[in-house]
Amino acid sequence: MKFFADTAEIDDIKELVATGLLDGVTTNPSLIAKSGRDFMEVTKEICGLTSGPVSAEVVALDHATMLKEAEVLRKIADNVCIKVPLTIDGLKTCKALTGEGTMVNVTLCFSANQALLAAKAGATFVSPFVGRHDDNGVNGMELIRDIRTIYDNYLFDTEILVASVRHATHVLESALIGADVMTAPPAVIKGLANHVLTDKGLEQFMKDWAKTGQKIL
Ligand code: E4P
């Protein structure tokens, strides 16, 4: 399963790139606003940090303007992936862009039928939001299971990009279901390395090593 960082914070992205665990980045208008950076400038910088797809979202709501915005965004770098909302206009834009070989991430997906439409529109990625479903008392992971079944039934190439990931259990379940990608805040990705028994075991090893009085370097 590929790991994308859901952030526009440069330092966090650099730190994850250094681990070798990062396969791409997703941004959205809220994350750009949070970063306080210029959209074009920060997107270009992120694209230079990873060779993986970097999702940059259009903000127009109509197909014609979405296409014009995509035209500007895809000139930023070869690894820009145009993010469009799961609306009829977004799907039309998706079809047009993927037909020309541009990567498209169809975002704000909350139902399996919406995901079916994204696949039929040729999306490179579909982003079902699990955390926002959970916030509303619906099990978001059930949506991922349903989409996996549908995509496997018809051998769609669209990759399931689990979004709105809030904790380690979302990541684990995504991997068990067979999602293609998950995007999460950097803290969630780094947190996957944590285990209390790892900390405890390491502490004991260090104590015992000190008793030997030896050094490796
Ligand atoms: C996905 O691409 C979105 O940027 C993101 O995962 C949304 O997550 P949130 O629900 O935590 O805002």
Side-chain angles (χ1 to χ4, degrees), residues 3 9 22 51 53 62 79 82 84 89 94 105 115 128 133 138 151-152 158 164-165 173 194 203 212 214:
F3 280 13
E9 303 299 328
L22 199 68
S51 55
D62 68 285
N79 56 334
I82 306 298
V84 300
D89 284 75
C94 173
N105 176 358
H133 258 318
V138 174
Y151 282 12
D152 289 350
T158 300
S164 190
V165 164
E173 288 188 42
N194 296 340
E203 196 185 331
T212 71
Q214 299 178 53

Side-chain angles (χ1 to χ4, degrees), residues 6 26 28 31 83 129 132 163-164 166 183:
D6 199 25
T26 50
N28 63 39
L31 293 170
K83 209 175 188 188
F129 280 38
R132 293 192 194 185
S164 190
R166 303 272 166 80
T183 189

